[in-house]
């Protein structure tokens, strides 16, 4: 058995480079890999031209809000950035390109990317500006949109529990985009709030199998307890 | 909740039937559970990843392990199920959501909904709103009757980018209830303190009136 538990430096160094696409888990704060994000912001602030794929933009100066504020990202693919007025301002000033994707289509494009499917067909967004510019297909008398799969270079996840083989488990509503993202990237780094020995998570309860995971690091306790 | 909002929320609560699976949008709709009878049997779905939402968590923060789609700390009922976003939207698109209750900027008389974007002013993103509006088996929109400029929320044609076309089954305001019949929203119920004149105030498109009006309560 190879032990995937690494120090932060070792897990991140060499893996993240300028211009890459990073998939970052989390819906609001739940499931957001704050330790990995803060490490990038502190030790890799020179990174430029990243494309971030995240459900939301967290909050001003919190989570990916810090990466955006440091000018590390060129592009954000997201579903909702309403809790981060700084990200909205950057978008409006033309400093950040934002692609909004309906949330279920966002999840499904990532799932498709991880499942080896180049694209899928859907009627979500037909008759709205979301359909603009997208290829369509006539099928069984209906016009459907072609939605392309999304893949990333590196996924950053925060599991509630991970074992040393990388098997992951999430509590409550923390799972959100994590499992799909964990399948859709060339490298997957997991910060775990609790690291356990193999077998401590019952096999039937593993949400993301360790075969998808490249490194596990210890998450730091969250220091931003506020409403 | 002010008096008008209370009227809307209480009237909307009456649209729920026991046994339903319901998603409540951010804002006013999240107040509906607070006015349901004690023990009312409904499964509340939260698109960020669970079915079986309970009451808000007293003293909870956005760091709680169970939050709703608006970031509020909430509890789970016994028998709740947690899942990921992929499955959550399979549930929605697959037709397992009996009802979504959503807010609105504009609703057209043909049932188009605009509730996610005001170009140049408000561009937060659509979140899960498009799937909810398009795929819930029934879409109930709740809203103040007039916007802050005194213009009716019910319009002939939406001027704002749509969330989904022809999706609204019921529109509930503090003055009236409109239901979509044969493709058009029809006035079906009037609040006892209102009249046809006050209902049509600010509404600039023709709206049919049902032959028999439903009682409000």
């Amino acid at each position: 058995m190879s032990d995937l538990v690494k120090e932060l430096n070792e897990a991140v160094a060499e893996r993240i480079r300028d211009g890459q696409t990073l998939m970052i888990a989390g819906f609001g704060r739940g499931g957001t890999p704050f330790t990995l994000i803060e490490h990038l912001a502190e030790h890799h602030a020179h990174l430029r031209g990243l494309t971030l794929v995240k459900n939301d933009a967290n909050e001003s100066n919190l989570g990916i809000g810090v990466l955006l504020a440091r000018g590390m990202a060129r592009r954000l693919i997201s579903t909702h950035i309403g809790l981060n007025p700084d990200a909205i301002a950057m978008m409006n000033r033309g400093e950040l390109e934002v692609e909004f994707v309906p949330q279920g289509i966002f999840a499904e494009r990532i799932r498709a990317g991880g499942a080896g499917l180049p694209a899928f067909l859907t009627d979500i967004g037909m008759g709205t500006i979301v359909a603009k510019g997208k290829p369509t297909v006539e099928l069984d008398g209906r016009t459907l949109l072609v939605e392309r799969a999304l893949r990333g270079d590196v996924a950053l996840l925060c599991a509630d529990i991970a074992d040393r083989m990388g098997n992951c488990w999430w509590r409550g509503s923390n799972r959100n985009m994590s499992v799909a993202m964990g399948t859709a990237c060339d490298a997957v780094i997991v910060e775990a709030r609790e690291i356990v020995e193999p077998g401590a998570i019952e096999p039937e309860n593993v949400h993301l199998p360790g075969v998808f995971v490249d490194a596990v690091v210890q998450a730091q306790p969250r220091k931003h307890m506020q409403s | 909740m002010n008096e008008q909002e209370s009227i809307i929320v209480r009237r909307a609560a009456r649209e729920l039937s026991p046994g339903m699976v319901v998603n409540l949008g951010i804002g006013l709709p999240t107040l509906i559970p607070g006015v349901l009878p004690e023990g009312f049997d409904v499964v509340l779905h939260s698109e960020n990843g669970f079915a079986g939402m309970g009451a808000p968590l007293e003293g909870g923060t956005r760091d709680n392990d169970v939050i709703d789609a608006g970031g509020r700390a909430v509890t789970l009922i016994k028998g709740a199920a947690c899942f990921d976003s992929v499955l959550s939207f399979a549930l929605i698109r697959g037709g397992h959501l009996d009802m979504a209750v959503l807010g609105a900027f504009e609703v057209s008389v043909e049932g188009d909904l605009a509730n996610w974007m005001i170009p140049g002013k408000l561009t937060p993103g659509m979140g899960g709103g498009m799937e909810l509006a398009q795929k819930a088996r029934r879409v109930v929109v709740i809203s103040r009757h007039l916007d802050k400029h005194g213009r009716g929320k019910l319009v002939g044609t939406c001027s704002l980018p749509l969330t989904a076309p022809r999706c609204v089954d019921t529109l509930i305001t503090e003055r009236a209830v409109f239901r979509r019949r044969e493709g058009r929203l029809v006035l079906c119920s009037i609040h006892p303190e209102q009249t046809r004149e006050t209902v049509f105030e600010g509404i600039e498109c023709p709206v049919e009136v049902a032959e028999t009006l439903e009682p409000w309560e």
Side-chain angles (χ1 to χ4, degrees):
Chain A
M1 175 204 106
S2 59
D3 187 348
L4 297 184
V5 177
K6 304 279 187 280
E7 291 300 320
L8 257 175
N9 269 327
E10 194 188 350
V12 172
E14 311 294 317
R15 283 211 170 92
I16 302 182
R17 292 186 296 278
D18 287 343
Q20 281 183 330
T21 296
L22 307 187
M23 289 195 174
I24 303 181
F27 190 115
R29 294 184 192 171
T32 297
F34 287 107
T35 302
L36 286 164
I37 292 169
E38 282 157 21
H39 179 81
L40 285 183
E42 278 173 36
H43 301 283
H44 298 266
H46 54 82
L47 285 167
R48 287 294 176 271
L50 298 173
T51 294
L52 304 183
V53 180
K54 189 179 186 299
N55 175 69
D56 55 86
N58 287 122
E59 297 158 54
S60 296
N61 285 311
L62 181 73
I64 67 161
V66 182
L67 307 183
L68 299 177
R70 300 210 171 165
M72 295 162 72
R74 176 182 66 84
R75 194 154 176 261
L76 173 65
I77 304 177
S78 190
T79 81
H80 193 273
I81 63 172
L83 282 180
N84 189 336
D86 291 350
I88 293 177
M90 286 180 77
M91 172 179 75
N92 290 342
R93 287 197 301 267
E95 295 163 16
L96 178 70
E97 185 191 326
V98 179
E99 178 185 346
F100 286 117
V101 183
Q103 201 164 87
I105 299 304
F106 178 89
E108 199 64 20
R109 286 177 66 191
I110 297 166
R111 195 194 76 81
L117 304 170
F120 60 92
L121 303 180
T122 182
D123 61 349
I124 296 297
M126 290 296 288
T128 76
I129 60 176
V130 162
K132 225 166 86 181
K134 284 183 185 155
T136 57
V137 167
E138 301 292 326
L139 188 75
D140 301 336
R142 303 169 72 193
T143 305
L144 299 167
L145 289 176
V146 177
E147 286 285 358
R148 289 174 199 278
L150 264 177
R151 279 194 63 87
D153 295 296
V154 183
L156 306 179
L157 314 179
C158 174
D160 284 283
I161 302 177
D163 70 22
R164 292 181 172 275
M165 292 175 74
N167 293 306
C168 297
W169 180 89
W170 281 267
R171 187 172 280 119
S173 56
N174 294 339
R175 204 180 331 170
N176 49 68
M177 303 290 175
S178 306
V179 176
M181 288 181 169
T183 65
C185 292
D186 296 339
V188 177
I189 310 174
V190 175
E191 64 174 71
R193 297 166 88 180
E194 186 184 351
I195 297 175
V196 297
E197 294 302 319
I201 307 172
E202 288 178 30
E204 296 86 348
N205 290 341
V206 169
H207 293 148
L208 178 68
V211 292
F212 291 100
V213 175
D214 294 280
V216 175
V217 303
Q218 177 66 54
Q220 301 305 309
R222 294 190 202 170
K223 29 182 190 197
H224 40 74
M225 296 293 284
Q226 54 191 334
S227 63
Chain B
M1 201 166 26
N2 63 34
E3 195 187 328
Q4 286 82 9
E5 288 171 345
S6 170
I7 292 170
I8 297 167
V9 167
R10 284 168 199 284
R11 184 61 191 77
R14 296 188 52 233
E15 301 290 315
L16 275 61
S17 323
M20 276 186 167
V21 182
V22 179
N23 184 295
L24 302 173
I26 295 168
L28 267 191
T30 60
L31 301 175
I32 290 174
V35 302
L36 288 173
E38 179 101 15
F40 192 87
D41 173 26
V42 63
V43 173
L44 298 177
H45 167 259
S46 189
E47 67 267 27
N48 55 320
F50 51 99
M53 180 161 55
L57 182 70
E58 293 288 329
T61 72
R62 285 183 196 159
D63 283 307
N64 195 50
D65 286 328
V66 185
I67 56 163
D68 70 9
R72 279 189 322 163
V74 294
T75 56
L76 297 173
I77 61 166
K78 271 188 190 156
C82 296
F83 32 76
D84 78 339
S85 301
V86 171
L87 191 128
S88 191
F89 281 86
L91 186 157
I92 298 171
R93 288 194 309 270
H96 302 280
L97 200 59
D98 296 306
M99 183 186 286
V101 186
L102 306 171
F105 298 142
E106 291 176 326
V107 172
S108 86
V109 76
E110 291 180 322
D112 297 346
L113 172 64
N115 76 351
W116 74 282
M117 184 183 186
I118 303 176
K121 280 190 183 159
L122 185 70
T123 48
M126 70 290 277
M130 288 191 170
E131 286 94 341
L132 289 168
Q134 207 174 319
K135 294 296 182 181
R137 299 167 78 92
R138 208 175 134 210
V139 174
V140 174
V141 167
I142 66 174
S143 169
R144 292 296 302 271
H145 197 75
L146 304 173
D147 68 14
K148 60 184 177 187
H149 307 294
R151 189 169 157 258
K153 292 284 188 95
L154 181 59
V155 296
T157 310
C158 291
S159 62
L160 296 169
L162 295 187
T163 308
R166 291 163 175 70
C167 63
V168 179
D169 296 292
T170 306
L171 168 64
I172 298 173
T173 78
E174 73 277 21
R175 298 187 190 179
V177 177
F178 304 86
R179 298 191 193 278
R180 190 154 55 120
R181 295 201 177 141
E182 288 162 13
R184 291 181 70 82
L185 286 169
V186 173
L187 174 60
C188 286
S189 185
I190 299 175
H191 184 269
E193 290 169 18
Q194 304 291 335
T195 63
R196 286 192 191 202
E197 288 66 38
T198 61
V199 167
F200 285 114
E201 182 194 340
I203 295 178
E204 291 171 358
C205 58
V207 179
E208 285 173 43
V209 181
E211 266 181 37
T212 317
L213 290 178
E214 302 167 19
W216 186 266
E217 296 285 350

